[in-house]
Amino acid sequence: MQNNIFNFENTYMNLPDEFHSYVKPRKVISPKLAIFNEDLSTELGFNFSSFKPEDISNLLSGNIIPEGSSLIAQAYAGHQFGHFTILGDGRAILLGEHVLGDKRFDIQFKGSGPTPYSRSGDGLAAIGPMMREYIISEAMHYLNIPTCRSLAVVETGEDVIREQKYPGAILTRISKSHIRVGTFQFAVIQEDKDLVNKLFNYTIERHFPNLIESKSKALDFLYAIIEQQANLVTNWMRIGFIHGVMNTDNVALSGETIDYGPCAFMDHYDPLTVFSSIDHQGRYSFANQPIITQWNLARLAETILPLISDKHENALKLAEEAINTFADLYQSKWLDMMRLKIGLITKENEDKSLISELLDVMQKHKADFTNTFSLLSENTLPDVELFKTEEFLFWYKKWKLRLEKESKSFEDMRKVMETNNPKIIPRNHLVERALKKAEEGELKTIKEYIKILQNPYGSQINIADEYFMPPNDNEKVLQTFCGT
Ligand code: AMP
Ligand code: MG
């Protein structure tokens, strides 16, 4: 069997030893391919055509090591719910960096055995959480949100012990890199003070080559990451996504969404929505996400102060100024994004209150976040509770008047709305239903569901109503778990 699928060129291992440990994936008893992402495989130039399913299972479970792999676990630290901890890939192994033209992708296994950073964990993963990452990361990709992707889930044929036994599985995750805010936090606490510098130069070369010649590289880098994270969180707010575990180790400097542990999509609009079972204080609630993004950016800024200026006071002043730009930057991105959600291309002073009023009415009437926006662009208001309320109808008249100030026709504005308001999101109750079936060995439901999620903005002809509908009271999923 050929196993030179990946065009590996591994640069991360050239960083000083502190940044990684050499590891080997644990061999598994009887690997079986549960799901494989053909589209992504083609996109990345992989050629599995000569592979039998069992060859793919062996390769993507780590039983056969692909040629050119470097096999490392990465070290990092992170503020978890505000508390600083030393971490590292406790159940992930980086195989290498696949190079395709001028692009570079980390190929990583998740759930393939312990590493020196596993602490008390077993390094393993159960099929539910790995499939969850697969479904939601794919959904995010098709929702046009930067994200890591999922190439495959392989069942290991072994049980994983959690509160009960579950089938074990390994996910192959693809990312532009796995450098995190937490990687910088790890570097800065090492004895060797040059490590931050080395990581910084590596990150610039890999993600910001346009800054290589800059005279104020570190400050420019900080501003670039601020912009990138403001874009990311604005996108999350657009689709009602609640990440759930915005610890600094889960903030990727590639700008991609990573760590799909307890994340979930909001059904009815409530800014205080929290799903994660461990988020007792609501630190990572829907509305807190931009605030936490800024907090996480401040943690990054702290690590590069000496690179911003060799005079500490000056570095602090420049970093603070940069971090303080976040609030206004986010506000303006959020407002523009919300304008597009209600079909406004031009800007008027009244827009902010128009949007807030709609959100207030939605919150009061527990209106579905996704459907309210997507149904607004229908020519006649559909038969939905919210749309019959006096408060909404009052707002609706105002909105129609505001739309008249736009130079484009309603048809054109409708198109704008349709590309910004998904019709389909991975609703928690449907995700959980598909995962439950996968745990029982039935994979058809999950595969069908993923197909539907691949066309979130399109005209969804022949798709059953249940995919659009919010859950009934007895279907509601109120809590999600990290799945570690
Ligand atoms: P997370 O909350 O998923 O970002 O994970 C926090 C840390 O716990 C990371 O360092 C993970 O690699 C580690 N971790 C999570 N699950 C396991 C596990 N089953 N075994 C070992 N380490 C784990
Ligand atoms: Mg994580």
Side-chain angles (χ1 to χ4, degrees):
M1 184 193 102
Q2 266 191 318
N3 72 356
N4 55 346
I5 282 289
F6 305 113
N7 180 29
F8 278 143
E9 190 188 285
N10 305 326
T11 55
Y12 201 83
M13 59 189 282
N14 298 331
L15 279 171
D17 288 347
E18 286 85 343
F19 285 110
H20 45 72
S21 297
Y22 291 95
V23 283
K24 283 218 162 70
R26 175 182 157 277
K27 295 254 184 293
V28 305
I29 293 177
S30 57
K32 194 166 148 260
L33 191 62
I35 193 161
F36 182 74
N37 196 334
E38 292 283 354
D39 295 347
L40 179 61
S41 173
T42 308
E43 221 175 279
L44 295 180
F46 303 152
N47 183 1
F48 283 99
S49 58
S50 64
F51 278 59
K52 298 193 220 66
E54 62 266 31
D55 296 337
I56 303 184
S57 309
N58 272 315
L59 196 79
L60 298 182
S61 63
N63 274 4
I64 292 174
I65 304 297
E67 248 172 55
S69 303
S70 64
L71 298 180
I72 52 175
Q74 295 175 315
Y76 51 85
H79 275 94
Q80 298 191 302
F81 290 90
H83 302 287
F84 187 73
T85 323
I86 305 283
L87 298 157
D89 290 332
R91 58 164 174 177
I93 295 182
L94 177 67
L95 299 177
E97 299 146 30
H98 170 71
V99 175
L100 179 72
D102 59 355
K103 297 197 176 112
R104 180 178 297 268
F105 302 92
D106 274 8
I107 313 285
Q108 196 192 57
F109 285 159
K110 207 165 164 182
S112 55
T115 75
Y117 314 111
S118 295
R119 297 177 290 170
S120 56
D122 56 10
L124 304 179
I127 186 160
M130 295 305 99
M131 280 292 193
R132 194 163 199 283
E133 172 151 352
Y134 189 112
I135 304 181
I136 303 193
S137 61
E138 282 308 288
M140 291 288 271
H141 172 74
Y142 287 98
L143 284 159
N144 300 330
I145 308 223
T147 175
C148 62
R149 307 265 325 255
S150 300
L151 180 67
V153 175
V154 175
E155 289 186 74
T156 60
E158 298 165 31
D159 285 335
V160 171
I161 317 288
R162 297 291 180 258
E163 54 315 329
Q164 64 178 76
K165 280 188 196 165
Y166 291 100
I170 294 169
L171 171 81
T172 305
R173 172 160 89 172
I174 316 275
S175 300
K176 281 190 186 152
S177 88
H178 288 85
I179 305 166
R180 308 140 190 267
V181 168
T183 318
F184 277 79
Q185 291 182 294
F186 173 84
V188 82
I189 57 164
Q190 304 301 306
E191 263 173 45
D192 179 354
K193 289 299 158 211
D194 205 31
L195 289 191
V196 183
N197 202 12
K198 288 187 170 134
L199 177 66
F200 173 72
N201 287 331
Y202 179 85
T203 309
I204 292 282
E205 270 182 42
R206 190 154 171 182
H207 293 301
F208 301 95
N210 56 320
L211 297 182
I212 290 174
E213 300 296 327
S214 161
K215 297 266 180 305
S216 49
K217 232 190 267 187
L219 193 61
D220 291 353
F221 165 74
L222 183 57
Y223 275 103
I225 300 280
I226 290 171
E227 171 86 20
Q228 171 214 71
Q229 291 297 316
N231 286 336
L232 185 64
V233 74
T234 304
N235 250 320
W236 290 355
M237 303 307 276
R238 175 170 66 81
I239 53 160
F241 176 75
I242 301 168
H243 183 281
V245 61
M246 291 175 69
N247 296 332
T248 55
D249 51 302
N250 294 330
V251 181
L253 298 190
S254 62
E256 294 173 323
T257 310
I258 58 161
D259 204 312
Y260 286 100
C263 67
F265 284 72
M266 185 164 60
D267 289 304
H268 70 266
Y269 175 66
D270 178 353
L272 298 181
T273 306
V274 171
F275 289 105
S276 168
S277 63
I278 54 170
D279 189 0
H280 306 296
Q281 317 279 325
R283 180 180 170 92
Y284 301 139
S285 68
F286 182 68
N288 244 13
Q289 298 189 118
I291 296 159
I292 290 294
T293 300
Q294 185 176 22
W295 193 89
N296 288 342
L297 287 165
R299 303 291 76 73
L300 174 69
E302 283 163 1
T303 68
I304 54 167
L305 288 176
L307 305 180
I308 291 177
S309 165
D310 42 19
K311 293 187 195 69
H312 182 70
E313 285 305 312
N314 192 34
L316 207 57
K317 183 174 149 282
L318 291 170
E320 262 175 22
E321 271 171 23
I323 295 297
N324 288 340
T325 62
F326 180 85
D328 286 347
L329 181 70
Y330 169 73
Q331 262 306 313
S332 94
K333 284 182 189 292
W334 178 84
L335 191 54
D336 286 347
M337 174 276 286
M338 291 302 290
R339 281 193 177 104
L340 296 177
K341 277 179 85 69
I342 57 168
L344 307 178
I345 301 161
T346 61
K347 300 181 189 194
E348 294 284 338
N349 286 337
E350 72 204 65
D351 296 346
K352 194 172 175 197
S353 56
L354 186 69
I355 290 160
S356 304
E357 282 164 35
L358 172 62
L359 290 172
D360 288 347
V361 181
M362 284 169 62
Q363 184 178 0
K364 184 172 168 204
H365 293 279
K366 292 193 172 6
D368 187 74
F369 185 76
T370 304
N371 292 353
T372 303
F373 286 104
S374 89
L375 295 176
L376 269 184
S377 52
E378 307 262 316
N379 270 332
T380 47
L381 279 176
D383 181 15
V384 170
E385 280 308 304
L386 175 76
F387 296 156
K388 292 181 215 155
T389 65
E390 233 175 79
E391 285 147 309
F392 175 81
L393 292 169
F394 180 72
W395 178 85
Y396 192 69
K397 271 193 210 126
K398 267 202 204 175
W399 176 53
K400 288 275 163 167
L401 282 174
R402 170 63 183 86
L403 282 175
E404 283 170 17
K405 291 191 189 163
E406 294 285 321
S407 53
K408 300 236 173 175
S409 69
F410 187 64
E411 270 316 302
D412 286 337
M413 288 180 286
R414 237 166 105 126
K415 287 197 192 104
V416 169
M417 290 172 76
E418 281 170 3
T419 50
N420 284 282
N421 297 321
K423 290 197 176 76
I424 302 257
I425 48 150
R427 292 195 183 264
N428 306 328
H429 66 295
L430 300 177
V431 171
E432 292 307 316
R433 188 178 73 180
L435 292 180
K436 195 146 195 296
K437 297 217 163 129
E439 278 169 4
E440 292 161 5
E442 190 267 86
L443 295 165
K444 193 169 144 268
T445 307
I446 232 175
K447 289 180 183 172
E448 281 174 5
Y449 192 33
I450 289 168
K451 279 219 176 71
I452 287 169
L453 293 170
Q454 286 177 340
N455 192 15
Y457 300 102
S459 52
Q460 304 276 349
I461 310 157
N462 295 335
I463 290 183
D465 276 357
E466 60 172 350
Y467 292 109
F468 301 94
M469 299 302 285
N472 296 326
D473 281 348
N474 61 351
E475 291 173 322
K476 275 188 184 147
V477 175
L478 300 173
Q479 255 193 346
T480 52
F481 301 89
C482 281
T484 50

